[in-house]
Amino acid sequence: MSRVAAIDCGTNSIRLLIADITGDNFQELTREMEVVRLGQGVDATGAFDPEAIERTLEATKKYAEIIAGKGVEKIRFCATSATRDASNRDLFIDGVREILGIEPEVIPGTEEAALSFIGATKGLVHTESPYLVVDIGGGSTEFVLGTTEVDYAKSVNVGCVRMSERHLNKAPQDPLAMQRAIRDIDEAIAEAA
């Protein structure tokens, strides 16, 4: 048996999963999620906001305490869309490395898509019909098609934080801004199709 921890750090939230792995058997022990909005402002500025980094590193510290208390043997930390896009990502990566003592991975959109597919279909009875997994994140959306493994994956830069900051950042909503958001989303779907 091996006790492992996985941290998924996205544009909007950071998630922790701790599990025991024995062969192909997976036993979940802990699941945590915190909204940190790491990607706040990244679409507009191309860089992390210092407050967003601070919020996310605080959540990482909490997760480090949980991990230490559970006797985890191996940790994997994956960062996605916002970290891929941020010019100052090293500030964040250095902070994670200092807290957890591991090298965080900034995974490409195609790997993010493949991991989403595995997570969404792992417990399903597989048939010859393909599955389409759509993972809507804060900074990106992944479209993944496959049966038992990924046949096609596409990551597009359309997510809830990105669209909110780009188009839907005023109340009441401007109908033209809503139309621009729909146009961006439709273009991303067409690109994936």
Side-chain angles (χ1 to χ4, degrees), residues 5-10 12-18 31-36 59 63 76-78 135-136:
I7 299 174
D8 171 7
C9 187
N12 196 46
S13 62
I14 185 168
R15 300 169 186 271
L16 168 67
L17 175 66
I18 298 175
R31 184 181 294 262
E32 301 280 336
M33 191 274 295
E34 191 167 330
V35 174
V36 292
Y63 290 172
R76 184 175 187 195
F77 186 105
C78 293
D135 180 4
I136 302 170

Side-chain angles (χ1 to χ4, degrees), residues 148-182:
T148 57
E149 57 187 46
V150 175
D151 295 322
Y152 173 80
K154 180 70 176 173
S155 179
V156 293
N157 283 333
V158 174
C160 64
V161 173
R162 193 180 300 268
M163 291 296 97
S164 295
E165 289 184 356
R166 189 181 290 173
H167 301 295
L168 308 173
N169 51 14
K170 294 183 180 135
Q173 290 302 321
D174 173 8
L176 292 175
M178 183 67 74
Q179 288 175 358
R180 287 190 296 272
I182 291 169

